[in-house]
Amino acid sequence: MACVYIPVQNSEEEVRVALDQLPKDASDILDILKAEQAPLDLWLIIAREYFKQGKLDQFRQILEEGSSPEIDDYYADVRYERIAILNALGAYYSYLGKIETKQREKEEHFILATQYYNKASRIDMHEPSTWVGKGQLLLAKGEVDQASAAFKIVLDGDHDNVPALLGQACVEFNRGRYSDSLELYKRALQVYPNCPAAVRLGIGLCRYKLGQFEKAQQAFERVLQLDPENVEALVALAIMDLRTNEAAGIRKGMVKMQRAFEIYPYCAMALNYLANHFFFTGQHFLVEQLTETALAVTNHGPTKSHSYYNLARSYHSKGDYEKAGLYYMASVKEVNKPHEFVFPYYGLGQVQLKLGDFRSALSNFEKVLEVYPDNCETLKSVGHIYVQLGQADKGQEFLRKATKIDPRDAQAFLELGELLISSDTGAALDAFKTARTLFKKGGQEVPIELLNNIGVLQFERGDFQLAQQTFEEALGDGIWLSFINDEKKSFVDAAASILQFKEMQLFHDLESNGHHVEVPWDKVTVLFNLARLLELLNKSGAASILYRLILFKYPDYIDAYLRLAAIAKARNNILLSIELVNDALKVNEKCPNALSMLGELELRNDDWVKAKETLRAASDATDGKDSYATLSLGNWNYFAAVRNEKRNPKLEATHLEKAKELYTRVQEAASGSVFVQMPDVWINLAHVYFAQGNFALAVKMYQNCLRKFYHNTDSQILLYLARTHYEAEQWQDCIKTLLRAIHLAPSNYTLRFDAGVAMQKFSASTLQKAKRTADEVRATVAELQNAVRIFSQLSAASNLHIHGFDEKKIETHVGYCNHLLSAAKVHLEAAEREEQQMRQRQELARQVALAEEARRKAEEQRKYQLERRKQEDELKRVQQQEEHFKRVKEQWKSSTHSSKRRERSDDEDGGPNEKRRRKGGKRRKKDKHSKSHYDTEEIGEMIDEQENEFEDADINYREPDAQINDDDGAEENAQGLLAAAGLEDSDVDDRTAAPSTISRRRQALSDSDDDDEPLQRHSSPIGENSAYLQDSDGEVKDRGRTNEDFASDDEKEN
């Protein structure tokens, strides 16, 4: 018996406390511990014992009292025990938060655990046990990275800390790093070989995740050796037994699951697997109980997802799709990605598909395909959804993919064939045949529906013999064989009752004779299709017996009544047909097919009032949605408008407009469906347009119908089209259309007669024109000749009385055509003469136009030459001016160089200016002014010469209407050109009184010729250029005055 001893304060006595006899009220123990100031480790021992005994309130009371502020103050020096108490409380609340299912209470427990761990850290922040506790708390909260950081803090200080190793192993397992987790578990086991069995459980789970199933099984079995009641190990071993998919393994696994459930009834995983087992055994009550319990005891997302999935499957199998959808949705919400658990997505897609939510179902099935892209069932479901959404091409794509993945899936080929019926009957038939072959190879019975579909497709393709064989294969043996094959009619003579469409005595006689007359319900449709085939093969007697056989066993089969009525109608027995349709209406008085057929029969019986009421009732029975009933009502309005009685224009227009409205409604309804092809609607609508006189729309409607439904190869519609052209007086189009029809039906002599009439009418209308060309008359002659030839052929044929033509009428047409032909020749001669005169007038006008055009071109050429000559003269003048500028520039450069050489020679010889140079600076200044004076004189002479040359150029090149008489303007222009050419004087700024215009220089030259001679002789640098001196008198005068000033200055100096 375990006991603890509490020392009595200030005494050697001790209080003995038996741990197995702890009081229910922990206050007694707390009073002793406080009174005797017992060590804190005793507090921990007693609290742990309460926990082991399941007395959690006492456990929490002792630890909370041991961590109170009073205790902290009294035991301030005791660090480790205080930290241990706080960590125990933190671990306790971490556990409560981990197992709590309600989110609010869970968060409250985690907050308390965090507070206790933080308080422990304030006592000693480096305590490893506190960090391990924090790591466990973070792991329970799902904060894996922060938990790993906490464990690593401990492991950095102590690599062999077993709790930290186990915590880090859990972290790595949750991260999916099973190899790293396994190494940490093994390392913990090496450090502390006496670890609890749960450590080996972790090793087994890592082995299982790594695919090492044998070693995982060994680890789990070792756990059971150490702890025979370890529920997790039992569940793990049970799952491994169930994975074998063998009867023995499944039995062993369920035994282990049951044992785990008995040990601990709240293990969610065991509950889920037991629920899965009972689902397959059909015990849905147990499934619901177990899954609801599992949902109540766990908060683990994947586990809850499995529980919701089991519950959804149970309701799904019972047909409660609303609840099943809710639980499938709940299962989906508990998983993050489809890869974690994909089955609820598939189940949810099935339920949504059943409820008609195709787009949501498609979304879920596509998620299944992300995980299992080759799952044939999902591919078939997706294909079916796309068909329902109107995307048949995508549906075919997925079904074809399913057939490629599993070529032995007969159901996939069957669904593919059903999908292809509307678009490609040949491919649909091949798919059905493949499915039939696969069923036979698999030893399965071929479904009757599949054989019926094959027979119908063969029937539509015209393979009547194959279709009959397929229908007979689907029917198998039965009483019907005696009516199908003549050789099997030995025991019954049905010939007497073939024409008795309502006679059922035959089958009563067969039963009285001991024959078994039975038609299984799943073969009725096949039997009806076989009868329809026999009817098409002109075996209406056998077909009528099969229809009556169906009615004998199933009197409410309306289609059989209607087919019997159709047979009677084909034999022109209208009254019997009406009686049979009335029998069908007794079964269903609002059957639109029966009402439409009755209205048509009444119309043929000339009972217009009843026919209208019946057809209107047929249309009202389907709220105007039955196209055939609406079409029949439109036909009634059309016939009412065009019948041969005395017509009322207003009433006729009303009937035609109503017929057009009804036909248009049927046409619009048929155009939106690939299953309905109603060319008669287009033809009738064109008839209405024709009757209304709207020939353009009638032509367009006939042409569209001919192209859309008959590929332009129906002679009857071509005849309708030709009639419309004829009434619209479009003779050429009428003739062309009739010739096309004759090409398609060469034996139809009516078309030839119509063509001859059209040619005759065209010729007559052309000859009646006030103005006609020769080409039109020639075409008329050709058409008349063709018409005569056609009527002659028909006349020869009518002699044989084969085609029923009136010979006299044809001869009348021939005579009329010959008459027109003779008249056409006269018109042709007149037209040719008029055409010749017109041609001559046109030729004369053409020649006049050509002459006028030639004159105009000559005038334009002359103007062009004059303009071009002006441009060439202007260009030549500009080039000559440029050459003259270059020449003047060269002359100026050569004269400037020669004057400079003369000045240098005078200086060297010591001429008259030598004395002035000796007199000092002023003399040198005068020399400078003298030089400027000479330069100015030279430039003036050059300008005069340039002016004369420009005047000559102006005289030679000026225009007659632009004479230049202003000499001053020309001189200024010349000076500007010199400046532009770079010939201006660089010393011009140093002159004191230089004249500004050429006219002033000319005036100076005329006033003083004699006075300048000494100066000319004195000015040696330019003495040789007499031409310049004669043109620059003004400048010479100025230089004379300047020399006088210089002389007076010399005298003053002397």
Side-chain angles (χ1 to χ4, degrees):
M1 182 183 295
C3 300
V4 294
Y5 297 91
I6 302 174
V8 178
Q9 191 175 11
N10 300 325
S11 173
E12 295 182 356
E13 296 181 357
E14 295 178 338
V15 177
R16 179 175 175 273
V17 179
L19 295 179
D20 58 346
Q21 297 178 1
L22 291 173
K24 292 183 179 181
D25 189 359
S27 299
D28 298 337
I29 296 295
L30 282 174
D31 292 340
I32 296 173
L33 292 173
K34 290 180 181 179
E36 303 302 333
Q37 299 178 358
L40 291 179
D41 58 341
L42 295 178
W43 294 56
L44 272 172
I45 292 172
I46 293 172
R48 184 167 60 247
E49 190 62 30
Y50 271 122
F51 183 82
K52 289 180 179 179
Q53 294 176 12
K55 300 175 181 179
L56 300 180
D57 293 335
Q58 292 86 341
F59 161 78
R60 185 173 62 253
Q61 183 179 0
I62 291 175
L63 290 183
E64 288 177 351
E65 189 67 27
S67 60
S68 63
E70 296 82 3
I71 298 298
D72 288 342
D73 293 339
Y74 184 79
Y75 294 97
D77 296 334
V78 180
R79 298 166 60 89
Y80 180 79
E81 286 78 5
R82 289 166 57 199
I83 292 173
I85 290 173
L86 293 170
N87 287 343
L89 283 170
Y92 171 70
Y93 283 109
S94 297
Y95 172 74
L96 289 181
K98 183 178 180 180
I99 65 174
E100 181 60 54
T101 57
K102 297 180 180 179
Q103 188 64 28
R104 183 175 179 181
E105 286 78 358
K106 178 190 285 291
E107 292 179 356
E108 291 176 355
H109 292 318
F110 285 149
I111 290 171
L112 289 174
T114 303
Q115 291 175 355
Y116 284 117
Y117 283 129
N118 289 338
K119 189 175 180 180
S121 294
R122 285 194 291 271
I123 297 173
D124 184 2
M125 66 178 298
H126 300 294
E127 174 58 36
S129 61
T130 303
W131 285 107
V132 171
K134 286 184 177 181
Q136 293 292 345
L137 172 61
L138 293 169
L139 197 59
K141 293 169 67 175
E143 300 175 2
V144 179
D145 295 335
Q146 296 182 17
S148 177
F151 293 133
K152 285 183 178 179
I153 290 174
V154 179
L155 292 175
D156 290 341
D158 183 5
H159 297 289
D160 295 333
N161 188 294
V162 175
L165 287 171
L166 295 177
Q168 187 63 27
C170 291
V171 168
E172 299 299 336
F173 188 88
N174 287 330
R175 288 175 171 173
R177 303 173 182 173
Y178 305 117
S179 299
D180 297 340
S181 178
L182 178 60
E183 293 300 324
L184 289 170
Y185 278 124
K186 291 166 66 176
R187 182 177 168 188
L189 191 60
Q190 291 172 357
V191 174
Y192 185 58
N194 296 324
C195 278
V199 177
R200 289 179 170 80
L201 180 65
I203 292 175
L205 291 174
C206 290
R207 299 283 190 187
Y208 183 84
K209 289 292 186 180
L210 292 171
Q212 304 171 6
F213 299 117
E214 292 183 2
K215 291 185 178 181
Q217 186 174 358
Q218 293 174 1
F220 294 139
E221 290 174 352
R222 177 59 177 162
V223 173
L224 289 179
Q225 290 177 2
L226 298 175
D227 183 8
E229 295 186 351
N230 190 290
V231 174
E232 289 81 1
L234 283 170
V235 172
L237 287 172
I239 292 173
M240 296 186 71
D241 290 336
L242 293 173
R243 282 178 58 89
T244 59
N245 288 328
E246 297 177 356
I250 293 174
R251 282 194 296 269
K252 289 170 61 178
M254 293 311 302
V255 169
K256 291 184 176 69
M257 283 292 180
Q258 186 175 357
R259 183 182 170 192
F261 175 75
E262 291 171 354
I263 295 171
Y264 182 62
Y266 303 107
C267 177
M269 188 171 291
L271 292 170
N272 283 336
Y273 275 95
L274 288 171
N276 181 67
H277 171 73
F278 290 121
F279 170 77
F280 287 107
T281 59
Q283 298 170 283
H284 298 289
F285 176 76
L286 290 176
V287 173
E288 294 170 9
Q289 275 191 334
L290 292 170
T291 51
E292 288 173 357
T293 304
L295 289 170
V297 300
T298 185
N299 198 34
H300 184 241
T303 304
K304 290 181 68 175
S305 179
H306 281 76
S307 301
Y308 282 125
Y309 173 68
N310 286 331
L311 198 56
R313 282 198 304 173
S314 177
Y315 285 111
H316 192 176
S317 64
K318 293 189 297 183
D320 191 347
Y321 299 110
E322 295 291 340
K323 282 189 177 180
L326 292 175
Y327 285 117
Y328 278 132
M329 185 66 71
S331 178
V332 166
K333 290 180 178 179
E334 294 295 335
V335 294
N336 296 323
K337 297 179 181 179
H339 294 271
E340 296 178 1
F341 188 41
V342 76
F343 296 135
Y345 289 95
Y346 185 81
L348 181 59
Q350 286 181 313
V351 170
Q352 290 169 337
L353 181 61
K354 186 69 176 180
L355 296 175
D357 189 358
F358 298 117
R359 297 194 178 278
S360 299
L362 178 63
S363 176
N364 287 296
F365 283 131
E366 287 176 344
K367 291 176 182 177
V368 176
L369 291 176
E370 292 177 4
V371 184
Y372 299 107
D374 295 337
N375 184 268
C376 290
E377 296 299 325
T378 308
L379 289 170
K380 289 187 289 186
S381 299
V382 171
H384 176 72
I385 291 173
Y386 275 121
V387 173
Q388 297 299 322
L389 293 175
Q391 302 180 29
D393 294 338
K394 281 191 175 182
Q396 292 180 19
E397 178 183 348
F398 279 93
L399 287 174
R400 290 183 188 277
K401 184 177 180 181
T403 57
K404 290 180 181 179
I405 293 173
D406 188 4
R408 295 176 294 180
D409 189 350
Q411 190 65 31
F413 283 100
L414 177 59
E415 294 182 11
L416 178 61
E418 292 175 351
L419 178 58
L420 291 171
I421 285 178
S422 60
S423 58
D424 190 350
T425 56
L429 182 59
D430 293 338
F432 285 141
K433 289 180 178 179
T434 303
R436 179 177 63 179
T437 303
L438 290 173
F439 278 120
K440 290 181 178 180
K441 286 184 178 180
Q444 301 177 359
E445 183 179 357
V446 181
I448 295 177
E449 296 82 1
L450 174 58
L451 293 172
N452 181 63
N453 289 337
I454 295 174
V456 170
L457 290 176
Q458 291 170 339
F459 175 79
E460 292 178 351
R461 291 166 63 101
D463 298 333
F464 301 129
Q465 186 176 359
L466 291 176
Q468 183 174 351
Q469 293 176 0
T470 305
F471 288 140
E472 291 177 357
E473 179 184 354
L475 288 171
D477 295 334
I479 189 64
W480 45 82
L481 294 178
S482 60
F483 307 121
I484 298 172
N485 301 319
D486 295 336
E487 62 273 9
K488 295 183 179 180
K489 293 174 60 176
S490 57
F491 65 91
V492 59
D493 185 8
S497 63
I498 286 177
L499 300 179
Q500 303 298 323
F501 295 98
K502 300 178 64 176
E503 181 62 44
M504 298 294 175
Q505 186 62 38
L506 169 66
F507 307 108
H508 292 292
D509 294 341
L510 289 174
E511 287 183 338
S512 62
N513 293 333
H515 296 288
H516 183 65
V517 180
E518 187 63 36
V519 180
W521 65 269
D522 56 345
K523 295 183 179 181
V524 174
T525 303
V526 184
L527 187 61
F528 179 85
N529 291 337
L530 179 59
R532 186 72 184 85
L533 175 62
L534 294 174
E535 183 183 346
L536 188 67
L537 294 175
N538 296 322
K539 298 180 181 180
S540 56
S544 65
I545 294 176
L546 294 181
Y547 289 138
R548 280 182 288 154
L549 175 61
I550 295 173
L551 292 174
F552 178 72
K553 302 302 296 183
Y554 301 95
D556 295 339
Y557 202 89
I558 295 178
D559 289 339
Y561 285 112
L562 298 181
R563 291 316 310 167
L564 287 172
I567 294 174
K569 176 185 173 183
R571 295 182 176 181
N572 206 23
N573 195 342
I574 303 299
L575 295 178
L576 178 59
S577 181
I578 292 175
E579 185 178 352
L580 289 167
V581 174
N582 286 325
D583 290 340
L585 289 173
K586 290 178 183 179
V587 178
N588 182 5
E589 62 181 6
K590 292 185 178 181
C591 177
N593 294 334
L595 288 170
S596 298
M597 190 172 185
L598 180 60
E600 184 181 354
L601 291 170
E602 290 171 344
L603 197 62
R604 289 189 61 177
N605 206 26
D606 207 20
D607 195 347
W608 289 83
V609 178
K610 281 187 177 182
K612 182 179 180 180
E613 294 176 355
T614 304
L615 293 174
R616 184 171 293 170
S619 180
D620 294 340
T622 58
D623 297 328
K625 296 180 181 179
D626 185 83
S627 297
Y628 188 79
T630 307
L631 178 63
S632 299
L633 191 58
N635 290 340
W636 184 93
N637 282 277
Y638 176 75
F639 289 130
V642 299
R643 59 182 177 173
N644 294 325
E645 298 178 3
K646 185 176 180 180
R647 298 185 180 181
N648 186 342
K650 292 184 179 180
L651 187 60
E652 178 184 350
T654 302
H655 284 311
L656 288 174
E657 195 63 31
K658 185 64 176 178
K660 183 175 71 172
E661 178 187 348
L662 295 171
Y663 289 147
T664 303
R665 190 189 307 170
V666 175
Q667 183 189 31
E668 291 174 354
S671 62
S673 174
V674 297
F675 301 101
V676 181
Q677 301 291 336
M678 302 183 70
D680 293 344
V681 179
W682 296 62
I683 297 171
N684 292 346
L685 193 56
H687 288 344
V688 172
Y689 287 132
F690 177 83
Q692 290 179 332
N694 196 342
F695 301 123
L697 285 178
V699 168
K700 186 175 181 180
M701 190 62 65
Y702 284 132
Q703 290 175 344
N704 290 338
C705 177
L706 193 64
R707 181 181 63 256
K708 182 177 179 67
F709 300 105
Y710 299 103
H711 307 288
N712 297 317
T713 58
D714 189 273
S715 60
Q716 186 63 35
I717 299 178
L718 286 172
L719 179 59
Y720 296 150
L721 182 60
R723 181 190 62 172
T724 308
H725 287 308
Y726 185 88
E727 293 295 332
E729 297 184 357
Q730 299 169 353
W731 317 115
Q732 291 285 40
D733 293 333
C734 176
I735 294 170
K736 291 179 181 178
T737 304
L738 288 170
L739 292 177
R740 285 175 56 193
I742 292 171
H743 177 74
L744 293 172
S747 60
N748 189 341
Y749 277 54
T750 304
L751 296 175
R752 297 176 183 270
F753 178 82
D754 293 339
V757 172
M759 294 174 183
Q760 174 186 315
K761 191 68 176 177
F762 165 72
S763 302
S765 63
T766 303
L767 295 177
Q768 290 172 2
K769 287 183 179 180
K771 292 183 179 181
R772 51 195 172 275
T773 63
D775 291 336
E776 290 179 343
V777 179
R778 292 190 191 97
T780 300
V781 171
E783 294 297 345
L784 284 172
Q785 292 174 350
N786 291 331
V788 170
R789 183 169 60 254
I790 290 174
F791 287 130
S792 299
Q793 292 176 352
L794 294 176
S795 178
S798 63
N799 291 332
L800 301 176
H801 304 286
I802 296 175
H803 302 284
F805 292 110
D806 187 354
E807 184 177 358
K808 292 182 179 181
K809 186 176 181 179
I810 291 177
E811 289 179 355
T812 302
H813 280 289
V814 172
Y816 183 70
C817 289
N818 288 325
H819 171 70
L820 289 177
L821 190 58
S822 60
K825 293 180 180 179
V826 177
H827 289 293
L828 179 60
E829 293 176 358
E832 288 178 348
R833 286 195 301 271
E834 184 178 355
E835 184 179 7
Q836 181 65 25
Q837 294 174 0
M838 179 62 68
R839 191 178 297 112
Q840 291 175 356
R841 288 194 295 268
Q842 290 176 352
E843 179 64 23
L844 180 60
R846 188 181 67 83
Q847 292 178 359
V848 171
L850 290 176
E852 180 65 23
E853 181 68 17
R855 187 194 63 78
R856 185 183 60 79
K857 289 184 178 180
E859 181 65 21
E860 290 179 355
Q861 184 67 20
R862 187 185 64 80
K863 291 181 179 180
Y864 173 74
Q865 293 295 337
L866 287 175
E867 184 67 24
R868 183 176 179 184
R869 190 177 299 111
K870 288 180 182 180
Q871 293 177 357
E872 290 177 353
D873 292 344
E874 182 67 20
L875 181 62
K876 184 177 180 181
R877 187 181 65 83
V878 172
Q879 291 177 352
Q880 288 178 354
Q881 288 180 356
E882 291 178 354
E883 292 175 358
H884 179 69
F885 290 156
K886 292 179 182 179
R887 188 167 58 254
V888 170
K889 186 176 180 180
E890 293 295 332
Q891 290 176 1
W892 180 82
K893 288 181 179 180
S894 61
S895 63
T896 303
H897 293 163
S898 62
S899 63
K900 289 181 180 179
R901 283 194 297 272
R902 291 191 186 97
E903 287 177 0
R904 284 195 297 271
S905 63
D906 288 342
D907 292 340
E908 291 174 359
D909 295 339
N913 295 327
E914 186 177 357
K915 291 181 180 181
R916 293 191 183 94
R917 294 192 192 97
R918 294 193 187 101
K919 288 183 180 181
K922 289 184 179 180
R923 192 58 171 259
R924 287 192 298 273
K925 184 176 181 181
K926 290 196 308 184
D927 289 343
K928 181 177 181 182
H929 283 285
S930 177
K931 183 179 178 180
S932 300
H933 173 75
Y934 297 149
D935 292 341
T936 303
E937 183 181 359
E938 291 171 0
I939 292 173
E941 294 170 355
M942 291 172 62
I943 290 173
D944 291 342
E945 182 181 356
Q946 187 177 1
E947 178 191 3
N948 295 331
E949 292 178 357
F950 275 126
E951 289 177 356
D952 295 339
D954 291 337
I955 292 172
N956 293 331
Y957 297 103
R958 65 190 174 185
E959 295 292 333
D961 57 347
Q963 296 179 358
I964 301 175
N965 297 320
D966 191 357
D967 294 336
D968 294 339
E971 291 163 0
E972 290 177 0
N973 188 22
Q975 185 65 29
L977 292 173
L978 284 171
L983 303 180
E984 58 189 0
D985 187 7
S986 60
D987 297 331
V988 71
D989 294 334
D990 296 334
R991 298 181 206 149
T992 57
S996 61
T997 61
I998 302 302
S999 61
R1000 292 172 61 185
R1001 287 196 297 273
R1002 288 179 177 175
Q1003 184 179 1
L1005 180 63
S1006 61
D1007 291 341
S1008 56
D1009 293 332
D1010 299 334
D1011 294 339
D1012 292 334
E1013 292 179 0
L1015 291 177
Q1016 292 174 3
R1017 290 190 298 269
H1018 183 72
S1019 300
S1020 60
I1022 55 174
E1024 297 176 0
N1025 298 326
S1026 59
Y1028 290 101
L1029 290 176
Q1030 292 175 3
D1031 294 333
S1032 304
D1033 294 318
E1035 291 183 4
V1036 173
K1037 280 181 160 185
D1038 291 338
R1039 282 196 296 271
R1041 286 193 296 271
T1042 301
N1043 291 336
E1044 290 175 0
D1045 292 337
F1046 287 154
S1048 63
D1049 291 338
D1050 292 339
E1051 289 175 358
K1052 289 178 182 180
E1053 289 179 0
N1054 292 332

